Amino acid sequence: MTALPAPRLSHARALWLVAVVLTAILWLWGQRLAPFAFDYPKAWQIPAARWIGNAINWLMKEAAIGPLAFSDVTRFIAALIDAPYRVVLSLLSSGLLSGEGSSAVQLWPPLSWVAAVGLFALLGLYAGGLPLALTVTACMAFVAVFGQWQSAMVTLSSIVVAVPIGVAGGLLAGIAAWRLPWLDRALKPVLDLMQTMPVFAYLVPILILFGFGPTAAVVATLIYAMPPMTRLTTLALRRVPAEIHDLGRMVGCTPRQMTWRVLVPASREPLMVGVNQVIMLSLNMVIIASMIGAGGLGFDVLNALRRLDFGAGLEAGLAIVALAIALDRLSQALARRASAPPRQGARHPYLAAALALVAVAWALGLILPAVQTYPEAARLSTSPFWAAAVEWINVTFFDMLEALKNAILTTLLVPVKRFLLSLPWLGVVALLGLAGWRLGGWRLAALTAGLAFLIAATGQWEKAMITVYLCGLSTLFALLIGIPVAIAVANRDRAWTVTRALIDTLQTLPSFVYLMPVVMLFRVGDFTAMIAVVAYAVVAAIRYTVLGLQGVDPRLIEAGRAMGCTDWQILTRIRLRLALPEILLGVNQTIMFALSMLVITALVGTRDLGQEVYIALTKANPGNGLVAGLAIAFIAIIADRLIHAAAMAQREKLGLEGGG
Amino acid sequence: MTDAAPKLVCRNVWKVFGARAEDSLARIGPDAGKLLAAGLIPAVRDVNLAVRAGEIFVIMGLSGSGKSTLVRCLSRLVEPTSGEILFNGRNLLAATEAEMIAIRRHKMGMVFQHFALLPHLTVLENVAFPLEVQGVPRATRDARAREMVALVGLAGREASFPRQLSGGQQQRVGIARSLAVEPELWFLDEPFSALDPLIRRELQDEFIRLQSRLQKTIVFITHDFDEAIRLADRIAIMKDGRIEQIGTPEELVLHPATDYVREFTRAVPKAKAVRVASLMSASPPPEGAPAIPARATVAEAGGALASGAGALAVTDATGRPVGTLHREDVIRLLLAGTA
Ligand SMILES: Nc1ncnc2c1ncn2[C@@H]1O[C@H](COP(=O)(O)OP(=O)(O)OP(=O)(O)O)[C@@H](O)[C@H]1O
Ligand SMILES: [Mg+2]
């Protein structure tokens, strides 16, 4: 970004002062003089929601390229996804059926649970040895024992279909973006939007285009899970050393050989990270996707949440976690295997063992039904226990929890919310523009001010401010917790290993799972939402701060010691100072995490943009949903760009390489 | 060797990096100062050279002098901004992309500074890779690759992966791979720079051994002058993209054309660069004097002189005496070197 020659620091201070004072004056006395600066006039509103609604209607009913109607295209995509889904589903869950609905007859049973657990164990053994095999078996056994097997297999089916499509699509898009600079430029904002736009927002259009059901759920999952693969692919291909390119050309590779024989295999380590990302994000989508018909575990969680049946919800939630851990560990181990020299000829015995296992389990299943389907009688349920526990906590600590909640609400949450809501939108837009100009020149200024204005102009200012307030406070708390934790563990190997294992696990949990315990204790409302968001986002704060602190050149710390700095001085003057760029990126990530979680907390009754999106979803109103979703994406983009620019400026100031 | 036909000729080659370099070069003209002022980087400036068949042509210069860019121009890995490159008398810059692919597949081989081995392939697969790309059947290419692996002394390591090998072994794989297609023209871009001094020496010896068997036409890049005089038939010294001087090691040491070359060669012991033939007198040698080949360096004659001989009989390739190397001349040369 080419910055205009920005004014010198003293000027800059004065400029800020003037701007803030002007805004303050407007805030205090402008209400009567310029009411339009506070409430965006209805008459000037951009009816974006209506436009979008009409556009989607038109797409569905009239759009066509020649004889090919748009609805044919969606039907084609649906068929493309539906066919493999049916195959996998009948393999894993329903068995081969003949006939429809309740009159269907099972011709061939699905893979028995014993065989499935065994296959997982074998895969674990192949990819990572005995410890992995045990972990994976434990996860899958957990799912079976707690009676979640049926639902888990439905969920697994959509994952099994979504992941290969997501990986292949992301890979191809990434390669294309790497080849064609214009496509890369065009794709970048699209990917940004796909990643910052709350999922709820595009559920509605997908629902309209693809209808309620697993296919629509897979499409939504793909939109959510593909961008990181695309980005990682482009990045990985760019990182391939120039010499490897030269090698490819010197031995006379055709462009196709260059891509598939040289570049893609040479970057398969980062690509496997992408595959892992696709798997994890798909799992993260499981619950949300169940809102548009994915069924399976996600549906169970959602249902339990609606009934406030914590026990049932928790069990289904934990089953998702078990599935997530198993798939995560497996894919990581397979990635490590792919990058390590393979042991020769080790594959056939595994394949043979797998086939034997399936056959034996099938034969046994004919005689012993318990092998085919996990027996009802052996099922454990902790549901009553949890219900009792929550009840006990609520009875015993009700007053305490309630007092805590009310104290924080009245002293902090409500005042901050009031303050933000009373600010004139015009002043905020102007200040954002100023910040953009100072940090990144006029282009950034145009972006930040423009996006903020669009939020106001589409009539969402108030909801957006509630989002900002919840997100801002949550981020603040996450940082207040995360940064000290990071400082405490960054330089202690053992502590960091433990912490990292913990936050890695926390990150594999689908975001809904965070809601459960909080709702149990605090019921619905802003406070509950905030706690869930903090719990979800604190991971990012810890991770990046540790990254920054560990990256500080140890020679500088030694130099500080030699100069006689105290530990505190070393921490504040050297380590935190030098880690600032990473910490800023951590703040950025924390905000992104917070925003994505905030949308989900709409389920517990917030009144922000997330709620708007959620309501639009339940009413199947694509215009409102998308516009509110875009507003959230805009907030995310504004925060992201400003913080990114600040981090770059810091890096430059510290003379660190200007990567990024 | 001196009268062999040139295999590769480079005429007025420029490589300018920067936006719209070609237009700019045409507009501004071949003037490095003005190009730099216009924000462009003239990495290779008006280079003329001719590499003869069967010789080791070393391009030597400090970091950033444009060696890699020049050698990439020679194989058209980067497109020269202007000039001509003749390979076997044919202008490479006029070749289509398909023709270039064919030429690179069958006539050129390249060894890279950081080895550029493909991490997912074994040693054997890496060496066979150029053949695989050409579509050579598996049995043929594996046999050929095995031969090459043995040639560089790595027999038995065929199934290893690059990361399991030491740096020196990895570069042996790189060398084997570049030789697998039996190239006419062999490019080596600082092949030994990433290695420890001892391993570097070992691979230089290996390289000399290979070349005595294979007689390839070689363009060898280095920033190490010792390496250059050890290996080169002729050396081109580069500075800021320009060639300062081309000559045999001896010519550079004895008759540096510019101050830059003089500065470079000053630290080099002359005895290592100067050949016996240039220091000998034409007078017939005294009876019973020990023999020394005319092609040997003066340093190699040192042993015999130190063991008491006052003069050596200089012989040509057939062993016929052609002159005398006097002890005093050698001492004078050595003293001049340290003065
Ligand atoms: N793709 C490029 N774009 C712009 N400038 C380049 C590019 N490649 C090389 N240069 C510049 O051209 C000059 C010569 O670079 P080159 O890599 O040929 O040097 P070199 O002699 O091989 O150095 P080294 O010994 O470090 O490998 C350098 O100033 C370099 O910055
Ligand atoms: Mg180089």
Side-chain angles (χ1 to χ4, degrees):
Chain A
M1 208 162 290
T2 49
L4 283 188
R8 259 189 245 119
L9 206 68
S10 52
H11 290 192
R13 284 240 178 92
L15 205 65
W16 269 114
L17 202 66
V18 171
V20 169
V21 167
L22 279 179
T23 313
I25 291 173
L26 181 66
W27 177 52
L28 289 173
W29 294 289
Q31 186 72 271
R32 235 171 319 143
L33 287 176
F36 65 88
F38 288 80
D39 290 313
Y40 191 89
K42 278 240 154 37
W44 305 348
Q45 255 181 32
I46 305 173
R50 210 172 56 230
W51 293 346
I52 293 175
N54 291 344
I56 289 185
N57 257 335
W58 174 80
L59 265 182
M60 280 312 288
K61 302 225 170 84
E62 286 158 49
I65 310 165
L68 191 70
F70 184 78
S71 48
D72 292 337
V73 177
T74 58
R75 219 167 289 149
F76 174 72
I77 296 176
L80 221 55
I81 293 172
D82 202 42
Y85 177 76
R86 268 169 202 287
V87 172
V88 179
L89 190 71
S90 47
L91 200 67
L92 288 179
S93 167
S94 65
L96 194 58
L97 300 177
S98 117
E100 286 288 314
S102 50
S103 64
V105 188
Q106 201 178 55
L107 299 179
W108 190 266
L111 199 62
S112 66
W113 73 276
V114 172
V117 173
L119 286 182
F120 265 91
L122 269 179
L123 196 58
L125 201 62
Y126 168 74
L130 195 60
L132 184 64
L134 289 178
T135 313
V136 172
T137 310
C139 286
M140 296 316 287
F142 175 91
V143 171
V145 168
F146 282 90
Q148 308 290 332
W149 190 261
Q150 271 302 322
S151 296
M153 287 305 111
V154 174
T155 297
L156 190 61
S157 304
S158 56
I159 302 274
V160 165
V161 173
V163 168
I165 301 179
V167 167
L171 189 68
L172 292 178
I175 291 173
W178 171 77
R179 279 251 181 98
L180 310 169
W182 64 264
L183 186 65
D184 188 38
R185 274 194 301 277
L187 218 50
K188 206 167 211 158
V190 176
L191 293 178
D192 277 352
L193 262 186
M194 277 163 91
Q195 282 190 302
T196 45
M197 178 101 117
V199 190
F200 285 152
Y202 48 77
L203 287 190
V204 192
I206 289 175
L207 197 58
I208 294 176
L209 295 179
F210 293 94
F212 187 87
T215 309
V218 170
V219 172
T221 307
L222 286 177
I223 295 182
Y224 182 65
M226 224 165 70
M229 185 72 201
T230 309
R231 278 184 210 271
L232 273 168
T233 303
T234 313
L235 207 68
L237 292 178
R238 288 223 182 93
R239 292 254 167 96
V240 172
E243 273 195 352
I244 297 274
H245 281 265
D246 283 352
L247 164 77
R249 295 185 57 200
M250 271 318 283
V251 302
C253 285
T254 59
R256 177 171 301 189
Q257 286 175 323
M258 188 76 168
T259 304
W260 296 107
R261 295 289 186 82
V262 179
L263 298 176
V264 169
S267 48
R268 68 184 172 161
E269 278 174 55
L271 290 181
M272 284 309 286
V273 174
V275 173
N276 178 264
Q277 285 277 303
V278 174
I279 295 178
M280 295 324 284
L281 290 177
S282 304
L283 269 166
N284 209 345
M285 261 302 273
V286 160
I287 301 179
I288 301 176
S290 68
M291 290 181 178
I292 54 172
L297 291 171
F299 178 77
D300 296 350
V301 174
L302 206 61
N303 215 4
L305 207 60
R306 288 197 183 120
R307 284 184 285 127
L308 290 182
D309 178 353
F310 306 127
L314 197 70
E315 275 170 12
L318 286 178
I320 297 180
V321 174
L323 208 54
I325 292 177
L327 292 179
D328 179 49
R329 296 300 181 297
L330 274 178
S331 61
Q332 285 196 19
L334 283 171
R336 271 196 298 278
R337 235 192 107 86
S339 55
R343 283 153 271 166
Q344 301 292 322
R347 198 168 280 153
H348 297 301
Y350 284 100
L351 205 60
L355 288 177
L357 179 74
V358 171
V360 170
W362 172 74
L364 272 180
L366 293 180
I367 314 162
L368 285 173
V371 173
Q372 176 62 39
T373 326
Y374 188 81
E376 195 81 28
R379 220 170 253 185
L380 285 185
S381 176
T382 52
S383 192
F385 166 77
W386 289 113
V390 169
E391 181 150 336
W392 179 78
I393 292 178
N394 275 334
V395 168
T396 321
F397 297 107
F398 180 82
D399 294 330
M400 219 176 90
L401 291 175
E402 202 63 10
L404 178 72
K405 174 169 137 184
N406 284 335
I408 295 184
L409 265 175
T410 48
T411 54
L412 189 69
L413 267 60
V414 174
V416 171
K417 181 169 156 184
R418 288 229 177 95
F419 170 71
L420 282 177
L421 281 174
S422 69
L423 285 179
W425 65 266
L426 196 62
V428 176
V429 169
L431 284 181
L432 282 174
L434 181 65
W437 179 65
R438 286 290 304 141
L439 287 170
W442 61 268
R443 268 207 232 191
L444 188 57
L447 183 77
T448 52
L451 292 184
F453 171 76
L454 278 179
I455 295 177
T458 46
Q460 322 223 37
W461 191 256
E462 200 168 312
K463 305 264 180 210
M465 276 297 131
I466 298 181
T467 298
V468 169
Y469 125 81
L470 272 175
C471 172
L473 281 182
S474 309
T475 306
L476 188 71
F477 278 114
L479 293 175
L480 283 180
I481 298 168
I483 293 180
V485 169
I487 291 172
V489 300
N491 283 19
R492 300 195 178 87
D493 282 345
R494 181 92 47 81
W496 171 229
T497 315
V498 173
T499 315
R500 193 172 52 189
L502 193 68
I503 59 181
D504 279 350
T505 312
L506 281 178
Q507 275 201 319
T508 52
L509 303 188
S511 33
F512 273 81
V513 173
Y514 288 80
L515 275 182
M516 298 269 203
V518 198
V519 176
M520 290 182 207
L521 298 180
F522 298 104
R523 279 171 311 276
V524 297
D526 282 6
F527 184 72
T528 307
M530 194 183 80
I531 294 196
V533 174
V534 170
Y536 184 68
V538 75
V539 170
I542 297 178
R543 199 184 283 281
Y544 279 83
T545 310
V546 168
L547 198 72
L549 288 176
Q550 288 180 341
V552 174
D553 188 346
R555 283 172 303 182
L556 289 174
I557 298 175
E558 250 166 47
R561 266 245 154 86
M563 282 183 273
C565 292
T566 61
D567 282 349
W568 176 252
Q569 284 170 328
I570 285 181
L571 177 66
T572 53
R573 302 279 173 82
I574 300 178
R575 292 176 57 206
L576 285 179
R577 195 77 194 78
L578 288 172
L580 197 57
E582 272 80 15
I583 296 181
L584 278 176
L585 290 182
V587 173
N588 192 5
Q589 278 302 304
T590 312
I591 295 179
M592 298 304 134
F593 271 55
L595 274 175
S596 70
M597 183 68 193
L598 205 51
V599 179
I600 288 164
T601 60
L603 285 179
V604 297
T606 54
R607 292 190 196 294
D608 64 341
L609 288 171
Q611 189 66 16
E612 200 76 350
V613 178
Y614 186 56
I615 292 172
L617 176 61
T618 50
K619 290 191 190 152
N621 181 340
N624 284 348
L626 272 180
V627 170
L630 280 173
I632 296 180
F634 288 172
I635 295 176
I637 291 172
I638 292 173
D640 176 75
R641 293 302 132 83
L642 285 179
I643 294 173
H644 204 83
M648 293 305 279
Q650 275 297 326
R651 268 175 173 279
E652 234 158 74
K653 218 156 99 189
L654 297 177
L656 302 168
E657 98 287 5
Chain B
M1 199 185 306
T2 40
D3 47 19
K7 189 101 196 155
L8 184 71
V9 177
C10 189
R11 281 195 201 133
N12 307 102
V13 168
W14 281 78
K15 176 64 199 178
V16 181
F17 287 112
R20 278 179 279 122
E22 203 149 325
D23 300 345
S24 306
L25 184 63
R27 186 164 40 81
I28 298 173
D31 181 324
K34 284 188 197 156
L35 286 167
L36 277 169
L40 299 161
I41 303 169
V44 169
R45 308 177 189 177
D46 197 24
V47 164
N48 289 286
L49 55 82
V51 182
R52 299 168 194 144
E55 83 169 331
I56 304 182
F57 189 89
V58 172
I59 300 175
M60 130 97 220
L62 296 182
S63 185
S65 55
K67 311 179 293 289
S68 295
T69 309
L70 175 57
V71 82
R72 277 166 178 69
C73 284
L74 297 182
S75 55
R76 243 183 108 190
L77 283 179
V78 304
E79 206 63 36
T81 316
S82 77
E84 256 185 352
I85 289 168
L86 305 176
F87 175 52
N88 286 337
R90 158 154 188 246
N91 190 1
L92 278 190
L93 302 189
T96 63
E97 191 52 35
E99 287 168 333
M100 262 335 282
I101 286 184
I103 291 174
R104 292 198 195 109
R105 280 186 175 181
H106 301 289
K107 310 239 153 125
M108 293 177 173
M110 185 153 179
V111 181
F112 298 88
Q113 180 171 359
H114 301 287
F115 324 137
L117 300 182
L118 294 172
H120 60 290
L121 300 181
T122 61
V123 165
L124 192 72
E125 288 163 340
N126 260 294
V127 174
F129 186 70
L131 300 168
E132 188 192 337
V133 164
Q134 295 176 17
V136 174
R138 166 153 238 139
T140 324
R141 67 174 193 248
D142 277 2
R144 172 78 189 153
R146 255 172 232 290
E147 212 177 293
M148 288 298 111
V149 172
L151 181 70
V152 297
L154 281 179
R157 300 305 300 265
E158 286 88 351
S160 305
F161 280 83
R163 74 185 65 196
Q164 298 168 319
L165 302 180
S166 71
Q169 290 170 324
Q170 292 192 30
Q171 194 57 299
R172 284 170 190 268
V173 178
I175 289 173
R177 178 179 60 191
S178 67
L179 290 174
V181 297
E182 299 191 60
E184 282 176 36
L185 196 52
W186 196 18
F187 297 109
L188 299 98
D189 185 0
E190 305 206 28
F192 309 140
S193 298
L195 305 173
D196 305 336
L198 270 180
I199 308 290
R200 190 181 310 165
R201 184 104 194 155
E202 184 188 312
L203 278 179
Q204 286 167 358
D205 291 338
E206 183 81 21
F207 173 75
I208 292 170
R209 181 181 71 80
L210 280 175
Q211 171 63 357
S212 68
R213 262 181 71 180
L214 303 171
Q215 297 293 321
K216 302 272 176 214
T217 305
I218 296 175
V219 178
F220 188 109
I221 310 265
T222 180
H223 62 240
D224 175 356
F225 198 53
D226 282 333
E227 184 168 83
I229 41 180
R230 255 195 106 200
L231 305 180
D233 289 314
R234 288 190 307 146
I235 301 178
I237 294 201
M238 273 189 97
K239 178 183 182 248
D240 296 337
R242 205 177 282 288
I243 291 201
E244 293 274 312
Q245 186 175 3
I246 299 180
T248 62
E250 193 170 35
E251 281 164 6
L252 295 182
V253 171
L254 295 180
H255 312 291
T258 66
D259 287 344
Y260 185 74
V261 178
R262 191 185 331 266
E263 204 50 44
F264 237 113
T265 53
R266 193 197 297 279
V268 178
K270 292 203 163 46
K272 278 194 183 167
V274 175
R275 309 231 183 248
V276 166
S278 5
L279 202 61
M280 71 179 189
S281 60
S283 58
E287 216 40 46
I292 180 99
R295 253 190 69 83
T297 62
V298 173
E300 285 168 296
L305 290 172
S307 59
L312 301 179
V314 179
T315 55
D316 66 5
T318 60
R320 209 164 45 82
V322 288
T324 311
L325 181 68
H326 294 285
R327 186 189 194 132
E328 302 80 65
D329 293 334
V330 171
I331 291 175
R332 206 168 301 127
L333 178 83
L334 292 180
L335 287 178
T338 55

